[in-house]
Amino acid sequence: MSKTAATPRVAAESAGPIRRPTAGLRVFRVVNAVVLTGFALICVLPFLNVLGSSLATPGELATRSFVLIPREFTLDAYRYILSTSTIFRAMGVSVFVTTVGTFVSLVITSLMAYALSKRYLRGRRVINFLVVFTMLFSGGMIPTFIVVNRLGLIDSLWSLILPVAVNAFNFVIMRSFFQAIPDSLEEAARIDGCSDLGVFWRIVLPLSLASIATIGLFYAVFYWNTYQSAILYINDSSKWPMQVLLRQIVIVASGMNADENAVDIVPPAQSVKMAVIFVATLPMLIVYPFIQRYFVKGALIGSVKG
């Protein structure tokens, strides 16, 4: 036998005998798999129920309270909601608010977090305290409405973006990541002639993709689910996002008072509601797989310091 072929065997023998998992470890793995599988089913089953109910006939929904696989598939609910421009208009509003809002929030949050991560910045502690203070106490609904009204943002889509452009929790996560970047990298860039913005653009941002992708996902989900701000600041039904339109559909389908002209959708109740919920959820499900590889790394930023 050649010396090269014997090397792996020698290495395996020198590493010592392979330990077999103990009975306690095997029991732990089985229990862990069962618990995680059960938790995954708890998360997935409601969504499958929504999808199955949206594809079921009204008669089946009247006789079955929980539907995973319909006995008879039908696309009538999707044909109904997609035959009107109301859904597409609301979807366009939500896409605009989510895209522009996420971009604005990432720009402001990253620039603010980078500046306040520098220990030599004067007044840094005071500004950081004021930002974190908003996590405990906010201005309140009425003062915020007065500010938005005085700025002339009522019935403007910017009222759904500017008042919530910076989230204190996301700011703290991003600031912690910037603080973990070695100062020597920035000093080397400044020696090469980079300005502060040049250091931020060429050095800090490429090293912060995990953090930015994670925070961007947080912001995107928040803007996509915009509901209360739209109820308070948007009176024009043509500017309603998906979540507000969904609320109106639920109210109309339940037989309660609502603006049916603005909704442009009336019962068949349950299947239409489920179809709209699925359509409203689908874009986030499509976006998430592209950001998933950054999510775990970005979500653990600051928890372990090496």
Side-chain angles (χ1 to χ4, degrees), residues 277-295:
I277 292 173
F278 180 76
V279 171
T281 308
L282 188 61
M284 287 293 103
L285 295 178
I286 295 175
V287 171
Y288 181 76
F290 296 98
I291 307 178
Q292 183 181 10
R293 59 174 179 168
Y294 300 106
F295 186 78

Side-chain angles (χ1 to χ4, degrees), residues 78-94:
Y78 291 97
R79 294 191 187 99
Y80 196 79
I81 63 175
L82 296 179
S83 64
T84 174
S85 61
T86 306
I87 292 291
F88 295 101
R89 184 175 64 237
M91 184 75 73
V93 172
S94 292

